[in-house]
Amino acid sequence: MTTLLDPSSRSLVFAVFSVFVVICLMLCIVTGADEDDRALVRSDSRRLRSWQQGIAMGGDTTTVATVTVLVGMVATTGFDGLGVMLGSLIGVMLLLVLIVEPLRGHASLTAADLLDARGSGGTTVRVSWGVVTLLVCFPLLVVQLVVVGNVAAALIGQPGARTGCIVVIGCVMTALAVSGGIRGTGVVMIAKSAIALPVLVAAAVLVLHRFGWDPGRLLDAAAHGSRTGGAYLRPGGYTGEGWVGAVNRIGQTFGMTMATLAMPAVLMRAISTKSPRGARTVGRWMLGELTLLYGTLAVVGVGAAALAGEALREAGPAAQVFTPLLLGRALDSGGVLVAALACVLFLTALAAVVDVTLAAGIALGRDVLGASAKPAAKPAGRRPAGTADGAASRWSAALTGALAAVVAVVVADWNLVVVSTLWLAVCGAALAPVLLYALYWPGFTARGALWCLWGATVLSVVALALSPYASGTPGSIFPEHDFRIWDVTIPGLVTVPAGFLLGWLGSVTDPRRAAAGDAPDPERRREPDTV
């Protein structure tokens, strides 16, 4: 993959990328959090406008894996890749309908504040929520850094420079997260969307123009280019056939929906919305941005199958991360479009890692270290925050980013699909049920939250450890061993219902709930704030 760009195009890519990084760093310093801002999350006098928050939240759900791996899935498997996009959009709609407005009303800085306000929190629950949040954020960070390191090394034509690229990019992104806070990183997200969306739309327009604006011709060419024929438009290309394929497909859509519902970076930004009216404005902008983005990515993926299918097959499965660039080379032999798409990948990685690093730092600094060092908050109130939380969150974000860069170097040759599946499984099975129960079930207790958080997390890890992702196949983490007990690789159909079941079972068997006559504190039923 060393011929993606000629020397002049490489110079253009890195010149644009370097200028963008410098501008983002300046924006983060100018618009970011002050030293006394509450845990880097928000300063009431300096929050983003609602439409800006909507664009930033849409950007939070768009990682570099979305633009590379997802487009690669559409290009190579067709129907199954489109199913992932559908699950993500369903999750966004549920997030906007069920989560954003009530979460804003109850949570002060993190989603763990919601559990305290609704009577199902406490120090142990807060620490557990923070730890599981880290287990979601950390694999996501690692995947982003590995993908962008691979792309950077391929673009400069030096595969051996991957380690250096991962370390340098990781340090830059961590600095942006620490200096910017939620407002500064929001500005980065908006700038990324302003550049990435037009470039991707332009690529999609060129694809449609190449096929005379006829979707039928495009799909026929994609089926032929993928060498799968009619199977390209049928399920099973990625998830498999038979009952295993059915479980994978349902688990894929279900798990992606629930994971999108509870992504820590998105929740962090949802909490900082100004008002119920502002939350609705945020939702409209976020949904509009993501609908346009996923429609564009679908066209780009199908176009890659039609125009670059042969190159994808020759390069092998690992080349899926380069699918947008291969399409750009097929559409524009001059290299300008490839350079523009390469910039999109870099900017998407920069923005995604910055926000996830910030979310992980706040979870570690406030929910884990802060809760361990301070008395538990009053169950029905919002926990105050100050300079100490802000300092802890800054140091925690720096530590998380540095550690993620080190781990990304170590696991750079692993099958990254299993790492991505891990964070999606834990997020959808552990965080989402707790969030929904805390908002909509007055009988939910701290014991139910703990059972759900830890039980679903352990179950997700075990399900993946005993699947073909871990052993028994050439693409496994341990291909020389075989300790799999089932062939399901996307366990969402099992883990998500198990998470809800554990939360319910822990709550109904809680002795304190039974002693209270199954009558929760009236304060837990209070409506979300309306101002």
Side-chain angles (χ1 to χ4, degrees), residues 1-2 10 149-150 152-163 165:
M1 304 303 294
T2 59
R10 290 173 189 163
N150 284 330
L155 291 176
I156 64 177
Q158 299 292 332
R162 180 180 63 184
T163 297
C165 291

Side-chain angles (χ1 to χ4, degrees), residues 131-452:
V131 171
V132 175
T133 298
L134 289 174
L135 293 177
V136 170
C137 290
F138 199 78
L140 179 57
L141 282 174
V142 170
V143 170
Q144 304 302 300
L145 290 174
V146 172
V147 170
V148 76
N150 284 330
V151 172
L155 291 176
I156 64 177
Q158 299 292 332
R162 180 180 63 184
T163 297
C165 291
I166 291 174
V167 172
V168 171
I169 293 172
C171 291
V172 170
M173 295 176 182
T174 301
L176 288 173
V178 171
S179 63
I182 195 167
R183 179 178 171 86
T185 58
V187 172
V188 172
M189 282 289 179
I190 294 169
K192 182 265 293 185
S193 297
I195 295 174
L197 268 178
V199 172
L200 291 171
V201 169
V205 168
L206 289 174
V207 168
L208 293 172
H209 178 71
R210 177 71 65 91
F211 292 93
W213 300 91
D214 185 348
R217 280 184 59 195
L218 174 58
L219 290 173
D220 289 341
H224 180 267
S226 66
R227 295 287 179 87
T228 58
Y232 183 81
L233 301 178
R234 294 196 300 268
Y238 175 75
T239 55
E241 303 293 341
W243 73 268
V244 171
V247 171
N248 280 332
R249 280 190 294 277
I250 299 173
Q252 183 182 64
T253 303
F254 193 29
M256 193 70 186
T257 297
M258 299 306 294
T260 304
L261 191 71
M263 288 181 68
V266 178
L267 297 180
M268 171 191 72
R269 202 167 292 283
I271 291 170
S272 65
T273 54
K274 297 179 180 180
S275 64
R277 182 179 178 181
R280 291 189 288 272
T281 301
V282 165
R284 287 193 294 270
W285 280 88
M286 180 183 181
L287 186 59
E289 177 188 358
L290 290 178
T291 300
L292 175 61
L293 174 68
Y294 283 126
T296 300
L297 291 180
V299 174
V300 169
V302 175
L307 299 173
E310 188 66 31
L312 281 171
R313 284 192 301 276
E314 291 176 356
Q320 285 190 16
V321 296
F322 302 107
T323 302
L325 305 184
L326 292 173
L327 173 65
R329 190 172 63 179
L331 288 170
D332 176 22
S333 58
V336 175
L337 183 59
V338 181
L341 289 170
C343 287
V344 168
L345 298 186
F346 279 127
L347 304 184
T348 302
L350 176 106
V353 174
V354 164
D355 247 23
V356 176
T357 300
L358 180 62
I362 292 171
L364 178 59
R366 177 172 169 78
D367 291 336
V368 178
L369 301 179
S372 301
K374 299 177 184 179
K378 294 180 180 180
R382 293 188 181 196
R383 186 167 174 262
T387 306
D389 277 334
S393 296
R394 289 180 190 275
W395 283 107
S396 298
L399 176 63
T400 302
L403 186 59
V406 172
V407 174
V409 171
V410 174
V411 305
D413 293 320
W414 282 20
N415 181 0
L416 295 182
V417 176
V418 67
V419 184
S420 298
T421 305
L422 174 62
W423 81 260
L424 286 168
V426 174
C427 187
L431 296 184
V434 170
L435 195 62
L436 291 172
Y437 272 146
L439 285 172
Y440 294 104
W441 184 26
F444 190 53
T445 68
R447 181 175 179 176
L450 291 173
W451 281 29
C452 182

Side-chain angles (χ1 to χ4, degrees), residues 474-489:
S476 302
I477 295 178
F478 305 106
E480 67 279 5
H481 302 287
D482 189 357
F483 43 81
R484 54 182 172 166
I485 64 171
W486 66 345
D487 292 327
V488 174
T489 54

